[in-house]
PDB file of all heavy atoms in Angstrom:
ATOM      1  N   ALA A1269      -1.100  10.710  12.022  1.00 93.00           N
ATOM      2  CA  ALA A1269      -2.542  10.839  12.174  1.00 93.00           C
ATOM      3  C   ALA A1269      -2.856  11.865  13.245  1.00 93.00           C
ATOM      4  O   ALA A1269      -2.082  12.072  14.182  1.00 93.00           O
ATOM      5  CB  ALA A1269      -3.167   9.492  12.524  1.00 93.00           C
ATOM      6  N   ASP A1270      -4.004  12.492  13.100  1.00 93.00           N
ATOM      7  CA  ASP A1270      -4.450  13.472  14.075  1.00 93.00           C
ATOM      8  C   ASP A1270      -5.965  13.438  14.127  1.00 93.00           C
ATOM      9  O   ASP A1270      -6.626  12.970  13.183  1.00 93.00           O
ATOM     10  CB  ASP A1270      -3.966  14.872  13.702  1.00 93.00           C
ATOM     11  CG  ASP A1270      -4.088  15.852  14.854  1.00 93.00           C
ATOM     12  OD1 ASP A1270      -4.290  15.403  16.011  1.00 93.00           O
ATOM     13  OD2 ASP A1270      -3.999  17.069  14.608  1.00 93.00           O
ATOM     14  N   SER A1271      -6.535  13.928  15.212  1.00 96.00           N
ATOM     15  CA  SER A1271      -7.982  13.962  15.342  1.00 96.00           C
ATOM     16  C   SER A1271      -8.393  15.180  16.149  1.00 96.00           C
ATOM     17  O   SER A1271      -7.585  15.786  16.847  1.00 96.00           O
ATOM     18  CB  SER A1271      -8.499  12.686  16.000  1.00 96.00           C
ATOM     19  OG  SER A1271      -7.919  12.511  17.277  1.00 96.00           O
ATOM     20  N   ALA A1272      -9.651  15.520  16.026  1.00 96.00           N
ATOM     21  CA  ALA A1272     -10.193  16.652  16.768  1.00 96.00           C
ATOM     22  C   ALA A1272     -10.255  16.315  18.260  1.00 96.00           C
ATOM     23  O   ALA A1272     -10.433  15.161  18.645  1.00 96.00           O
ATOM     24  CB  ALA A1272     -11.584  16.992  16.241  1.00 96.00           C
ATOM     25  N   ASP A1273     -10.142  17.362  19.081  1.00 96.00           N
ATOM     26  CA  ASP A1273     -10.178  17.158  20.530  1.00 96.00           C
ATOM     27  C   ASP A1273     -11.473  16.485  20.972  1.00 96.00           C
ATOM     28  O   ASP A1273     -11.486  15.688  21.909  1.00 96.00           O
ATOM     29  CB  ASP A1273     -10.027  18.500  21.253  1.00 96.00           C
ATOM     30  CG  ASP A1273      -8.620  19.059  21.137  1.00 96.00           C
ATOM     31  OD1 ASP A1273      -7.693  18.285  20.784  1.00 96.00           O
ATOM     32  OD2 ASP A1273      -8.438  20.260  21.386  1.00 96.00           O
ATOM     33  N   SER A1274     -12.564  16.778  20.269  1.00 96.00           N
ATOM     34  CA  SER A1274     -13.874  16.259  20.660  1.00 96.00           C
ATOM     35  C   SER A1274     -13.987  14.744  20.484  1.00 96.00           C
ATOM     36  O   SER A1274     -14.879  14.123  21.062  1.00 96.00           O
ATOM     37  CB  SER A1274     -14.975  16.948  19.859  1.00 96.00           C
ATOM     38  OG  SER A1274     -14.785  16.729  18.480  1.00 96.00           O
ATOM     39  N   VAL A1275     -13.087  14.155  19.697  1.00 97.00           N
ATOM     40  CA  VAL A1275     -13.171  12.713  19.469  1.00 97.00           C
ATOM     41  C   VAL A1275     -11.929  11.967  19.933  1.00 97.00           C
ATOM     42  O   VAL A1275     -11.884  10.731  19.838  1.00 97.00           O
ATOM     43  CB  VAL A1275     -13.424  12.406  17.977  1.00 97.00           C
ATOM     44  CG1 VAL A1275     -14.664  13.140  17.486  1.00 97.00           C
ATOM     45  CG2 VAL A1275     -12.218  12.740  17.109  1.00 97.00           C
ATOM     46  N   LYS A1276     -10.935  12.687  20.412  1.00 97.00           N
ATOM     47  CA  LYS A1276      -9.708  12.024  20.881  1.00 97.00           C
ATOM     48  C   LYS A1276     -10.033  11.016  21.972  1.00 97.00           C
ATOM     49  O   LYS A1276     -10.822  11.265  22.871  1.00 97.00           O
ATOM     50  CB  LYS A1276      -8.706  13.054  21.390  1.00 97.00           C
ATOM     51  CG  LYS A1276      -7.795  13.609  20.321  1.00 97.00           C
ATOM     52  CD  LYS A1276      -6.709  14.487  20.922  1.00 97.00           C
ATOM     53  CE  LYS A1276      -5.642  14.817  19.899  1.00 97.00           C
ATOM     54  NZ  LYS A1276      -6.104  15.623  18.783  1.00 97.00           N
ATOM     55  N   GLY A1277      -9.413   9.860  21.861  1.00 96.00           N
ATOM     56  CA  GLY A1277      -9.658   8.800  22.831  1.00 96.00           C
ATOM     57  C   GLY A1277     -10.871   7.949  22.500  1.00 96.00           C
ATOM     58  O   GLY A1277     -11.072   6.902  23.115  1.00 96.00           O
ATOM     59  N   ARG A1278     -11.693   8.396  21.547  1.00 98.00           N
ATOM     60  CA  ARG A1278     -12.882   7.629  21.163  1.00 98.00           C
ATOM     61  C   ARG A1278     -12.818   7.162  19.710  1.00 98.00           C
ATOM     62  O   ARG A1278     -13.260   6.072  19.385  1.00 98.00           O
ATOM     63  CB  ARG A1278     -14.144   8.471  21.359  1.00 98.00           C
ATOM     64  CG  ARG A1278     -14.372   8.930  22.784  1.00 98.00           C
ATOM     65  CD  ARG A1278     -15.737   9.587  22.946  1.00 98.00           C
ATOM     66  NE  ARG A1278     -15.884  10.779  22.127  1.00 98.00           N
ATOM     67  CZ  ARG A1278     -16.863  10.950  21.231  1.00 98.00           C
ATOM     68  NH1 ARG A1278     -17.749   9.994  21.027  1.00 98.00           N
ATOM     69  NH2 ARG A1278     -16.939  12.086  20.543  1.00 98.00           N
ATOM     70  N   PHE A1279     -12.297   8.006  18.832  1.00 98.00           N
ATOM     71  CA  PHE A1279     -12.230   7.688  17.405  1.00 98.00           C
ATOM     72  C   PHE A1279     -10.787   7.425  17.005  1.00 98.00           C
ATOM     73  O   PHE A1279      -9.871   8.108  17.480  1.00 98.00           O
ATOM     74  CB  PHE A1279     -12.744   8.852  16.565  1.00 98.00           C
ATOM     75  CG  PHE A1279     -14.216   9.129  16.683  1.00 98.00           C
ATOM     76  CD1 PHE A1279     -15.002   8.534  17.640  1.00 98.00           C
ATOM     77  CD2 PHE A1279     -14.815  10.029  15.794  1.00 98.00           C
ATOM     78  CE1 PHE A1279     -16.353   8.799  17.743  1.00 98.00           C
ATOM     79  CE2 PHE A1279     -16.165  10.308  15.879  1.00 98.00           C
ATOM     80  CZ  PHE A1279     -16.930   9.694  16.862  1.00 98.00           C
ATOM     81  N   THR A1280     -10.604   6.476  16.093  1.00 97.00           N
ATOM     82  CA  THR A1280      -9.275   6.159  15.593  1.00 97.00           C
ATOM     83  C   THR A1280      -9.323   6.041  14.073  1.00 97.00           C
ATOM     84  O   THR A1280     -10.174   5.327  13.538  1.00 97.00           O
ATOM     85  CB  THR A1280      -8.767   4.837  16.182  1.00 97.00           C
ATOM     86  OG1 THR A1280      -8.754   4.921  17.614  1.00 97.00           O
ATOM     87  CG2 THR A1280      -7.351   4.541  15.686  1.00 97.00           C
ATOM     88  N   ILE A1281      -8.415   6.731  13.415  1.00 97.00           N
ATOM     89  CA  ILE A1281      -8.313   6.627  11.963  1.00 97.00           C
ATOM     90  C   ILE A1281      -7.156   5.690  11.630  1.00 97.00           C
ATOM     91  O   ILE A1281      -6.107   5.702  12.289  1.00 97.00           O
ATOM     92  CB  ILE A1281      -8.117   8.011  11.310  1.00 97.00           C
ATOM     93  CG1 ILE A1281      -8.214   7.907   9.794  1.00 97.00           C
ATOM     94  CG2 ILE A1281      -6.828   8.674  11.748  1.00 97.00           C
ATOM     95  CD1 ILE A1281      -8.294   9.254   9.081  1.00 97.00           C
ATOM     96  N   SER A1282      -7.360   4.868  10.611  1.00 95.00           N
ATOM     97  CA  SER A1282      -6.314   3.946  10.188  1.00 95.00           C
ATOM     98  C   SER A1282      -6.459   3.704   8.694  1.00 95.00           C
ATOM     99  O   SER A1282      -7.441   4.119   8.076  1.00 95.00           O
ATOM    100  CB  SER A1282      -6.413   2.623  10.951  1.00 95.00           C
ATOM    101  OG  SER A1282      -7.651   1.979  10.680  1.00 95.00           O
ATOM    102  N   ARG A1283      -5.465   3.021   8.111  1.00 92.00           N
ATOM    103  CA  ARG A1283      -5.535   2.762   6.685  1.00 92.00           C
ATOM    104  C   ARG A1283      -5.088   1.338   6.396  1.00 92.00           C
ATOM    105  O   ARG A1283      -4.326   0.747   7.157  1.00 92.00           O
ATOM    106  CB  ARG A1283      -4.648   3.745   5.928  1.00 92.00           C
ATOM    107  CG  ARG A1283      -3.161   3.372   5.961  1.00 92.00           C
ATOM    108  CD  ARG A1283      -2.262   4.440   5.476  1.00 92.00           C
ATOM    109  NE  ARG A1283      -0.927   3.953   5.193  1.00 92.00           N
ATOM    110  CZ  ARG A1283      -0.012   3.671   6.107  1.00 92.00           C
ATOM    111  NH1 ARG A1283      -0.292   3.834   7.384  1.00 92.00           N
ATOM    112  NH2 ARG A1283       1.177   3.240   5.754  1.00 92.00           N
ATOM    113  N   ASP A1284      -5.566   0.824   5.290  1.00 89.00           N
ATOM    114  CA  ASP A1284      -5.139  -0.475   4.779  1.00 89.00           C
ATOM    115  C   ASP A1284      -4.680  -0.245   3.355  1.00 89.00           C
ATOM    116  O   ASP A1284      -5.505  -0.082   2.447  1.00 89.00           O
ATOM    117  CB  ASP A1284      -6.298  -1.477   4.851  1.00 89.00           C
ATOM    118  CG  ASP A1284      -5.888  -2.876   4.412  1.00 89.00           C
ATOM    119  OD1 ASP A1284      -4.989  -3.006   3.553  1.00 89.00           O
ATOM    120  OD2 ASP A1284      -6.476  -3.841   4.916  1.00 89.00           O
ATOM    121  N   ASN A1285      -3.355  -0.207   3.154  1.00 82.00           N
ATOM    122  CA  ASN A1285      -2.836   0.110   1.825  1.00 82.00           C
ATOM    123  C   ASN A1285      -3.250  -0.916   0.789  1.00 82.00           C
ATOM    124  O   ASN A1285      -3.535  -0.580  -0.360  1.00 82.00           O
ATOM    125  CB  ASN A1285      -1.306   0.203   1.871  1.00 82.00           C
ATOM    126  CG  ASN A1285      -0.842   1.477   2.546  1.00 82.00           C
ATOM    127  OD1 ASN A1285      -1.632   2.385   2.791  1.00 82.00           O
ATOM    128  ND2 ASN A1285       0.433   1.545   2.852  1.00 82.00           N
ATOM    129  N   ALA A1286      -3.291  -2.168   1.190  1.00 84.00           N
ATOM    130  CA  ALA A1286      -3.624  -3.224   0.236  1.00 84.00           C
ATOM    131  C   ALA A1286      -5.038  -3.072  -0.301  1.00 84.00           C
ATOM    132  O   ALA A1286      -5.323  -3.432  -1.446  1.00 84.00           O
ATOM    133  CB  ALA A1286      -3.456  -4.587   0.894  1.00 84.00           C
ATOM    134  N   LYS A1287      -5.903  -2.517   0.521  1.00 87.00           N
ATOM    135  CA  LYS A1287      -7.298  -2.350   0.111  1.00 87.00           C
ATOM    136  C   LYS A1287      -7.602  -0.923  -0.315  1.00 87.00           C
ATOM    137  O   LYS A1287      -8.754  -0.617  -0.645  1.00 87.00           O
ATOM    138  CB  LYS A1287      -8.228  -2.750   1.256  1.00 87.00           C
ATOM    139  CG  LYS A1287      -8.131  -4.216   1.640  1.00 87.00           C
ATOM    140  CD  LYS A1287      -9.119  -4.547   2.753  1.00 87.00           C
ATOM    141  CE  LYS A1287      -9.051  -6.028   3.109  1.00 87.00           C
ATOM    142  NZ  LYS A1287      -9.997  -6.374   4.199  1.00 87.00           N
ATOM    143  N   ASN A1288      -6.596  -0.049  -0.287  1.00 88.00           N
ATOM    144  CA  ASN A1288      -6.807   1.370  -0.610  1.00 88.00           C
ATOM    145  C   ASN A1288      -7.981   1.942   0.172  1.00 88.00           C
ATOM    146  O   ASN A1288      -8.845   2.651  -0.393  1.00 88.00           O
ATOM    147  CB  ASN A1288      -7.062   1.538  -2.114  1.00 88.00           C
ATOM    148  CG  ASN A1288      -5.838   1.241  -2.945  1.00 88.00           C
ATOM    149  OD1 ASN A1288      -4.715   1.481  -2.525  1.00 88.00           O
ATOM    150  ND2 ASN A1288      -6.053   0.684  -4.122  1.00 88.00           N
ATOM    151  N   THR A1289      -8.016   1.641   1.436  1.00 93.00           N
ATOM    152  CA  THR A1289      -9.154   2.014   2.273  1.00 93.00           C
ATOM    153  C   THR A1289      -8.670   2.659   3.562  1.00 93.00           C
ATOM    154  O   THR A1289      -7.679   2.219   4.155  1.00 93.00           O
ATOM    155  CB  THR A1289     -10.009   0.776   2.586  1.00 93.00           C
ATOM    156  OG1 THR A1289     -10.504   0.232   1.361  1.00 93.00           O
ATOM    157  CG2 THR A1289     -11.180   1.134   3.485  1.00 93.00           C
ATOM    158  N   VAL A1290      -9.383   3.688   3.962  1.00 95.00           N
ATOM    159  CA  VAL A1290      -9.159   4.338   5.248  1.00 95.00           C
ATOM    160  C   VAL A1290     -10.383   4.090   6.119  1.00 95.00           C
ATOM    161  O   VAL A1290     -11.518   4.122   5.632  1.00 95.00           O
ATOM    162  CB  VAL A1290      -8.917   5.852   5.074  1.00 95.00           C
ATOM    163  CG1 VAL A1290      -8.971   6.580   6.402  1.00 95.00           C
ATOM    164  CG2 VAL A1290      -7.569   6.088   4.416  1.00 95.00           C
ATOM    165  N   TYR A1291     -10.139   3.845   7.389  1.00 97.00           N
ATOM    166  CA  TYR A1291     -11.211   3.529   8.322  1.00 97.00           C
ATOM    167  C   TYR A1291     -11.294   4.590   9.423  1.00 97.00           C
ATOM    168  O   TYR A1291     -10.297   5.214   9.779  1.00 97.00           O
ATOM    169  CB  TYR A1291     -10.960   2.166   8.980  1.00 97.00           C
ATOM    170  CG  TYR A1291     -10.836   1.033   7.999  1.00 97.00           C
ATOM    171  CD1 TYR A1291      -9.580   0.577   7.587  1.00 97.00           C
ATOM    172  CD2 TYR A1291     -11.960   0.422   7.463  1.00 97.00           C
ATOM    173  CE1 TYR A1291      -9.452  -0.456   6.686  1.00 97.00           C
ATOM    174  CE2 TYR A1291     -11.842  -0.620   6.558  1.00 97.00           C
ATOM    175  CZ  TYR A1291     -10.585  -1.054   6.173  1.00 97.00           C
ATOM    176  OH  TYR A1291     -10.468  -2.083   5.269  1.00 97.00           O
ATOM    177  N   LEU A1292     -12.493   4.730   9.945  1.00 98.00           N
ATOM    178  CA  LEU A1292     -12.695   5.548  11.138  1.00 98.00           C
ATOM    179  C   LEU A1292     -13.442   4.687  12.145  1.00 98.00           C
ATOM    180  O   LEU A1292     -14.637   4.435  11.978  1.00 98.00           O
ATOM    181  CB  LEU A1292     -13.479   6.821  10.834  1.00 98.00           C
ATOM    182  CG  LEU A1292     -13.645   7.768  12.020  1.00 98.00           C
ATOM    183  CD1 LEU A1292     -12.296   8.377  12.399  1.00 98.00           C
ATOM    184  CD2 LEU A1292     -14.648   8.869  11.698  1.00 98.00           C
ATOM    185  N   GLN A1293     -12.718   4.207  13.135  1.00 98.00           N
ATOM    186  CA  GLN A1293     -13.334   3.425  14.199  1.00 98.00           C
ATOM    187  C   GLN A1293     -13.861   4.383  15.247  1.00 98.00           C
ATOM    188  O   GLN A1293     -13.104   5.169  15.813  1.00 98.00           O
ATOM    189  CB  GLN A1293     -12.304   2.479  14.815  1.00 98.00           C
ATOM    190  CG  GLN A1293     -12.847   1.654  15.962  1.00 98.00           C
ATOM    191  CD  GLN A1293     -13.917   0.669  15.534  1.00 98.00           C
ATOM    192  OE1 GLN A1293     -13.779  -0.012  14.520  1.00 98.00           O
ATOM    193  NE2 GLN A1293     -15.002   0.580  16.310  1.00 98.00           N
ATOM    194  N   MET A1294     -15.158   4.306  15.482  1.00 98.00           N
ATOM    195  CA  MET A1294     -15.812   5.232  16.403  1.00 98.00           C
ATOM    196  C   MET A1294     -16.373   4.452  17.576  1.00 98.00           C
ATOM    197  O   MET A1294     -17.270   3.615  17.404  1.00 98.00           O
ATOM    198  CB  MET A1294     -16.929   5.995  15.690  1.00 98.00           C
ATOM    199  CG  MET A1294     -16.456   6.713  14.429  1.00 98.00           C
ATOM    200  SD  MET A1294     -17.742   7.741  13.679  1.00 98.00           S
ATOM    201  CE  MET A1294     -18.917   6.494  13.181  1.00 98.00           C
ATOM    202  N   ASN A1295     -15.831   4.698  18.741  1.00 98.00           N
ATOM    203  CA  ASN A1295     -16.281   4.040  19.962  1.00 98.00           C
ATOM    204  C   ASN A1295     -16.893   5.060  20.922  1.00 98.00           C
ATOM    205  O   ASN A1295     -16.700   6.265  20.760  1.00 98.00           O
ATOM    206  CB  ASN A1295     -15.099   3.346  20.650  1.00 98.00           C
ATOM    207  CG  ASN A1295     -14.483   2.269  19.789  1.00 98.00           C
ATOM    208  OD1 ASN A1295     -15.161   1.599  19.009  1.00 98.00           O
ATOM    209  ND2 ASN A1295     -13.172   2.073  19.924  1.00 98.00           N
ATOM    210  N   SER A1296     -17.609   4.572  21.907  1.00 98.00           N
ATOM    211  CA  SER A1296     -18.229   5.444  22.922  1.00 98.00           C
ATOM    212  C   SER A1296     -18.983   6.591  22.264  1.00 98.00           C
ATOM    213  O   SER A1296     -18.833   7.762  22.637  1.00 98.00           O
ATOM    214  CB  SER A1296     -17.154   5.989  23.867  1.00 98.00           C
ATOM    215  OG  SER A1296     -16.463   4.940  24.501  1.00 98.00           O
ATOM    216  N   LEU A1297     -19.790   6.262  21.294  1.00 98.00           N
ATOM    217  CA  LEU A1297     -20.501   7.289  20.535  1.00 98.00           C
ATOM    218  C   LEU A1297     -21.486   8.043  21.412  1.00 98.00           C
ATOM    219  O   LEU A1297     -22.094   7.476  22.330  1.00 98.00           O
ATOM    220  CB  LEU A1297     -21.213   6.662  19.344  1.00 98.00           C
ATOM    221  CG  LEU A1297     -20.275   6.349  18.164  1.00 98.00           C
ATOM    222  CD1 LEU A1297     -20.906   5.312  17.244  1.00 98.00           C
ATOM    223  CD2 LEU A1297     -19.945   7.614  17.396  1.00 98.00           C
TER     224      LEU A1297
END
């Protein structure tokens, strides 16, 4: 996984294979 410098430390990308879903958790917006 990788992210833009502007969101590093605040946003996290993850996946759930069972649900065929990718998430973007966005904190400190």
Side-chain angles (χ1 to χ4, degrees):
D1270 195 14
S1271 58
D1273 289 343
S1274 59
V1275 305
K1276 272 187 169 65
R1278 300 188 298 124
F1279 292 11
T1280 302
I1281 188 169
S1282 62
R1283 79 192 195 284
D1284 184 329
N1285 286 348
K1287 296 182 178 180
N1288 291 327
T1289 299
V1290 168
Y1291 302 98
L1292 184 68
Q1293 178 66 44
M1294 305 186 294
N1295 298 327
S1296 301
L1297 282 160

